[in-house]
Amino acid sequence: MTNIRFKALEQIMHDQCTTPKQEHQKVSEYFAQYVFTHEKMQNYLSQKAYNEFQQSISNNQPISLQLADQIASAMKGWAMEHGATHYTHWFQPLNGATAEKHDAFIDFAGGNHNLERFSGKLLVQQEPDASSFPSGGMRNTFEARGYTGWDPSSPAFLIDGTLCIPTVFISYKGDSLDFKTPLLKSQRSLSETAAKVCRLFDQNVSSVKVTLGWEQEYFLVDERLYMARPDLHLTGRTLMGHASAKDQQLEDHYFGSIPSRVMQFIQDFEQQSHLLGIPVKTRHNEVAPGQFECAPMFEDVNLAVDHNQLLMDLMKKIARKHKFRVLLHEKPFQGVNGSGKHNNWSLLTNTGVNLLSPGSMPGKNLMFLTFLVNAISAVYHNADLLRSSIVSAGNQHRLGANEAPPAIISVFIGQELTKILNQIADSPEKEELTDELSAKIQLNIANIPELLLDNTDRNRTSPFAFTGNRFEFRAVGSSANCASPMITLNTAMADQLDKFYQKLSGNMKEGASFDKTLIALLRDLITESKNILFEGDGYSDDWIKEAEKRNLTNVRSVPLALKEFTKKHNADLFSKHKVFSDKELEARYEIWLDTFIKQMQIESRVLGDLAINHVVPTAINYQNILIDNVKGLKEILDGKDYREMSQPHIDSIKKISAHVKNIRQMVSNMVDARKKANDAQDIAESALLYDKEVQVWFDQIRYHIDKLELICDDNIWPLPKYRELLFMR
């Protein structure tokens, strides 16, 4: 192991950093070249067929088989012109990855009549084997059949000579087995309810689109050092090793000059992203050494999720070309910043109005305030559910550590908006608003754009922050599928807007003034949800105490956080908006618990193996070196000189023996705890035992390994250190 480590370092030090020749070409000249966009579709279809397709998309109507045949023929023609030989239904199963099964266009009909075929039937639906994907008990083991169904709202694209068609994935009985299906349902529900509320202000609004702009953080590690760390290779994070004397404390990496070798990788994956229509725009160094970030322009939430999943696959593949490995784990290195995936969420009307952006007209600002307050209320009433949508084994280590927001869900909106909301909340609660007070409030509302112009902040410590024209859900983990938090947020907002609309329209039927009734309802919502608003430092211990006083929960345990999925009011919420059936929600609860258990199993087994088979032998070898040294000192020294010179070695020998003994015993205890957890009566109990008992022994083993690492000579330590992983370029 030691030889592998030093050989890797030697190879890295002798690498030549050469910049490959690139054709200077405007991004606009090749953007979406490998995407079957609507513009390309229009070129391959008749105008009648294209108009029918557009109408079906706009009205959420099914596409006829005849039209599907025409589109399939157009797709095949375009794809084959670009060298494609195969097609696949590209989908997002509940294992967090993407999936695809490739079929050739050619149909071996026999004789000399082999033809390239691709029909509408093959485009619209396929039947991949669903038996080995997570289902949470929604199908029996012997029921292998599953179906993928074309999602026309997300365009097909080409990768490595294969036409990839974005699809949903459902079971034989019609249950959702993927992320896309419930995302589309939540998107539709929110669009409908938001449009109803908008029409109270503007009759021209017929639809509302949910938009998402994600920010993807990641680490880059040289692949040779990566392969010299079994824990990094098998779990995505380092399970042991003390921190470097210098990491991020000088704050010299963030927004610094991007290293040349890293820049070559970034330019490569950006170009491939642009070819696939992913509008990546921003790149920069992140806070931790070896950490970087990219971000695109805002898109429709469904397309943005597809693009993020595609980008993560691209990054991993392209990194290998540059002798890197991409780490998307939320906390790959202890003691430095982890990686998140900030989800910037907003709502856009068909008339081009961003509902979370204040406008120049007082009426638009009333609409803005309506959606802002309802979003705050939705988060307040569904904070625990929102947390459950972003928890994972990896994110559990990140939340509340270093730069990451805490596990306490709070909302930041900035001082100026807080003042306006407080003014509304402080108006008379039990009596009707006077015309004078209503006019005064509306005057302040009209000034919102000017107030926010130079007075907004982002508050990096807030897990859910208003940042001028959208909400930024910062607690999402870097490896997560964006669909999970978006499904929950969309559904929560749809439900809140639906309740708000019913109250407001009901009061209007009784002849009440629209503006005064609206402000009165906003006043009630602000007063009710004010505890969720927090402007201060979310990293401080004082906030944890304050949050407890406000009855805001701080659940750090993954199994306990996921338990929200089992509560009846949450099941009713998803069922009401037809996002999840009770069975689908229960299945997801079991899948996330099972994923957590398996990740903990893998980590504990890897740590146990490294501890017994690598760390302990290394410690004993170093101990033997010290023993020989002590014996040698005795041969050449005597009396006081011997005692003074040998005592530090003797102390180290004793410490090594104690740590080795503890490691062996604790690995045995961890194995017993794992067996106990595996033998638990149900999956929830098993997950809790892993979270509590297995994790305890896991942490204690790490403690003793860290102590041994500080004692043992650096030259014989079997694993690369953090500093090597973080600082090699």
Side-chain angles (χ1 to χ4, degrees):
M1 178 67 76
T2 307
N3 290 335
I4 294 175
R5 171 192 172 195
F6 287 114
K7 186 176 180 181
L9 289 171
E10 183 180 359
Q11 290 175 345
I12 294 167
M13 296 305 293
H14 286 88
D15 273 350
Q16 295 288 329
C17 187
T18 56
T19 304
K21 292 182 179 179
Q22 293 184 349
E23 294 184 11
H24 294 285
Q25 194 177 7
K26 294 179 181 177
V27 174
S28 58
E29 293 176 359
Y30 63 85
F31 186 78
Q33 183 176 318
Y34 294 156
V35 183
F36 192 59
T37 61
H38 284 199
E39 291 75 15
K40 294 187 179 80
M41 182 184 291
Q42 192 170 15
N43 293 334
Y44 282 83
L45 290 176
S46 67
Q47 191 61 47
K48 179 182 177 183
Y50 179 74
N51 291 341
E52 185 181 342
F53 171 76
Q54 288 287 71
Q55 188 174 2
S56 297
I57 295 295
S58 300
N59 299 331
N60 287 316
Q61 295 175 339
I63 292 172
S64 67
L65 186 57
Q66 182 182 5
L67 178 58
D69 279 331
Q70 295 179 60
I71 295 172
S73 177
M75 272 189 192
K76 182 196 71 174
W78 169 79
M80 293 185 68
E81 285 177 9
H82 287 78
T85 59
H86 289 68
Y87 66 91
T88 182
H89 275 198
W90 183 82
F91 58 100
Q92 301 168 34
L94 296 174
N95 58 13
T98 58
E100 53 199 61
K101 182 187 76 170
H102 297 201
D103 285 298
F105 283 123
I106 193 167
D107 182 8
F108 296 97
N112 296 320
H113 302 290
N114 297 330
L115 299 172
E116 282 76 17
R117 298 181 187 275
F118 186 54
S119 66
K121 185 177 180 181
L122 295 175
L123 166 65
V124 171
Q125 182 175 301
Q126 290 279 284
E127 187 185 329
D129 186 345
S131 61
S132 295
F133 291 108
S135 69
M138 285 191 291
R139 58 158 194 81
N140 294 312
T141 304
F142 58 83
E143 293 174 334
R145 183 174 292 178
Y147 294 105
T148 50
W150 176 37
D151 172 18
S153 64
S154 185
F157 52 91
L158 287 172
I159 291 185
D160 297 333
T162 300
L163 174 66
C164 300
I165 303 159
T167 62
V168 299
F169 182 44
I170 60 174
S171 73
Y172 175 67
K173 297 179 180 177
D175 299 312
S176 162
L177 294 173
D178 68 340
F179 286 99
K180 182 184 281 283
T181 304
L183 176 65
L184 291 171
K185 291 178 178 179
S186 72
Q187 183 181 5
R188 186 174 300 124
S189 180
L190 178 51
S191 177
E192 291 173 356
T193 54
K196 284 196 303 184
V197 174
C198 283
R199 282 193 287 273
L200 296 172
F201 300 90
D202 183 355
Q203 287 294 323
N204 294 318
V205 175
S206 58
S207 64
V208 174
K209 181 167 67 174
V210 185
T211 64
L212 170 65
W214 40 261
E215 302 168 35
Q216 180 69 59
E217 296 175 344
Y218 60 95
F219 280 87
L220 281 179
V221 173
D222 186 276
E223 70 173 8
R224 288 153 291 195
L225 287 167
Y226 172 87
M227 296 308 294
R229 288 290 307 231
D231 50 352
L232 201 57
H233 178 57
L234 295 172
T235 72
R237 71 180 181 117
T238 52
L239 301 181
M240 63 180 75
H242 68 271
S244 171
K246 179 185 181 298
D247 44 58
Q248 66 185 48
Q249 65 265 51
L250 293 181
E251 301 174 332
D252 54 352
H253 186 66
Y254 189 54
F255 279 18
S257 177
I258 300 174
S260 298
R261 184 180 165 203
V262 174
M263 181 63 83
Q264 291 173 25
F265 157 74
I266 291 176
Q267 289 173 337
D268 196 349
F269 94 72
E270 280 185 345
Q271 183 183 45
Q272 295 303 312
S273 297
H274 292 152
L275 285 166
L276 290 166
I278 306 173
V280 175
K281 182 177 176 65
T282 303
R283 63 190 182 205
H284 63 83
N285 290 1
E286 255 301 332
V287 176
Q291 188 186 32
F292 307 92
E293 179 181 298
C294 66
M297 300 292 288
F298 279 66
E299 298 180 282
D300 172 84
V301 64
N302 178 45
L303 184 58
V305 169
D306 284 358
H307 279 166
N308 183 247
Q309 289 296 110
L310 183 55
L311 177 109
M312 290 192 289
D313 287 343
L314 273 178
M315 290 172 68
K316 293 175 184 176
K317 181 169 66 174
I318 294 171
R320 293 172 182 251
K321 289 171 52 180
H322 296 265
K323 295 183 179 180
F324 279 127
R325 292 301 171 97
V326 169
L327 304 182
L328 294 175
H329 193 285
E330 284 74 17
K331 197 72 173 176
F333 304 106
Q334 190 174 11
V336 297
N337 280 14
S339 294
K341 176 153 41 199
H342 305 171
N343 279 211
N344 294 277
W345 171 88
S346 192
L347 302 169
L348 185 69
T349 69
N350 63 294
T351 59
V353 175
N354 180 347
L355 295 173
L356 291 178
S357 180
S360 57
M361 302 294 291
K364 287 188 177 180
N365 285 331
L366 269 175
M367 184 164 66
F368 155 73
L369 206 61
T370 295
F371 280 88
L372 178 82
V373 171
N374 275 280
I376 294 169
S377 183
V379 174
Y380 172 71
H381 287 291
N382 298 277
D384 292 337
L385 189 59
L386 283 167
R387 183 196 296 110
S388 70
S389 73
I390 55 93
V391 295
S392 66
N395 217 18
Q396 183 181 34
H397 300 299
R398 167 181 169 260
L399 292 179
N402 297 87
E403 172 267 351
I408 304 165
I409 301 295
S410 64
V411 178
F412 168 85
I413 60 172
Q415 293 182 356
E416 298 301 331
L417 281 177
T418 299
K419 288 178 184 177
I420 291 175
L421 296 196
N422 285 340
Q423 183 187 21
I424 297 173
D426 292 340
S427 61
E429 294 186 16
K430 294 183 180 179
E431 51 191 87
E432 187 177 342
L433 289 172
T434 63
D435 291 336
E436 181 181 356
L437 183 56
S438 178
K440 183 179 179 182
I441 291 173
Q442 289 192 59
L443 181 63
N444 283 340
I445 291 172
N447 293 328
I448 288 176
E450 289 73 25
L451 291 172
L452 296 185
L453 187 62
D454 296 309
N455 293 288
T456 54
D457 192 9
R458 294 184 63 188
N459 193 332
R460 292 177 61 82
T461 71
S462 175
F464 200 88
F466 179 72
T467 55
N469 59 2
R470 77 268 192 190
F471 275 105
E472 183 178 4
F473 196 2
R474 300 183 61 252
V476 183
S478 58
S479 66
N481 187 316
C482 295
S484 183
M486 291 297 98
I487 290 166
T488 303
L489 183 57
N490 288 347
T491 309
M493 185 64 168
D495 193 64
Q496 176 59 39
L497 288 175
D498 184 56
K499 292 175 180 177
F500 181 82
Y501 177 81
Q502 297 301 331
K503 287 183 180 179
L504 184 58
S505 58
N507 290 342
M508 293 298 297
K509 289 178 181 178
E510 297 175 4
S513 163
F514 175 76
D515 288 354
K516 289 201 296 185
T517 302
L518 174 65
I519 292 173
L521 284 177
L522 294 179
R523 175 190 61 194
D524 294 342
L525 290 179
I526 294 165
T527 303
E528 179 185 56
S529 57
K530 64 182 179 180
N531 280 350
I532 200 80
L533 296 177
F534 179 64
E535 305 295 314
D537 182 3
Y539 299 161
S540 69
D541 292 335
D542 290 340
W543 168 231
I544 295 176
K545 297 173 185 175
E546 173 64 22
E548 187 175 359
K549 292 179 183 177
R550 298 187 186 191
N551 293 320
L552 301 179
T553 56
N554 183 18
V555 182
R556 295 293 304 276
S557 165
V558 173
L560 292 179
L562 289 174
K563 201 169 180 63
E564 280 299 309
F565 283 125
T566 67
K567 295 183 177 178
K568 187 178 185 305
H569 66 275
N570 289 326
D572 292 343
L573 170 71
F574 286 116
S575 177
K576 172 185 174 183
H577 294 276
K578 299 179 181 179
V579 175
F580 292 127
S581 66
D582 290 352
K583 183 168 65 170
E584 289 172 332
L585 192 62
E586 177 67 25
R588 276 155 179 77
Y589 170 64
E590 292 197 10
I591 289 169
W592 306 150
L593 284 179
D594 186 57
T595 300
F596 172 77
I597 289 169
K598 288 174 179 175
Q599 288 173 333
M600 292 288 289
Q601 282 178 344
I602 293 169
E603 288 193 356
S604 62
R605 285 171 177 162
V606 170
L607 183 66
D609 174 64
L610 290 176
I612 298 300
N613 296 319
H614 297 278
V615 172
V616 168
T618 298
I620 292 174
N621 286 341
Y622 186 64
Q623 187 182 50
N624 289 335
I625 292 172
L626 294 177
I627 291 171
D628 289 341
N629 189 279
V630 170
K631 290 178 180 178
L633 289 173
K634 191 170 186 179
E635 291 178 1
I636 62 174
L637 299 172
D638 55 20
K640 182 180 178 182
D641 288 341
Y642 168 72
R643 287 193 296 273
E644 288 181 355
M645 298 294 290
S646 63
Q647 193 59 50
H649 294 330
I650 293 172
D651 291 342
S652 293
I653 290 168
K654 290 179 180 178
K655 289 177 181 178
I656 289 172
S657 294
H659 289 307
V660 166
K661 178 184 176 182
N662 283 325
I663 287 172
R664 283 173 169 160
Q665 182 59 55
M666 289 173 182
V667 169
S668 177
N669 292 345
M670 185 173 66
V671 171
D672 291 340
R674 196 166 62 229
K675 289 178 179 177
K676 178 182 175 183
N678 292 338
D679 292 338
Q681 292 184 351
D682 58 48
I683 194 168
E685 182 185 354
S686 176
L688 282 172
L689 288 172
Y690 266 99
D691 191 42
K692 302 298 181 185
E693 298 191 16
V694 176
Q695 187 65 48
V696 166
W697 296 116
F698 186 96
D699 291 339
Q700 291 192 30
I701 293 167
R702 290 181 61 173
Y703 168 80
H704 288 286
I705 290 175
D706 288 346
K707 292 296 183 182
L708 275 179
E709 186 178 358
L710 293 172
I711 297 170
C712 293
D713 191 303
D714 185 64
N715 289 325
I716 69 166
W717 192 250
L719 301 173
K721 306 298 180 75
Y722 281 0
R723 60 178 176 269
E724 294 169 356
L725 291 168
L726 288 171
F727 289 96
M728 294 307 300
R729 292 290 181 259

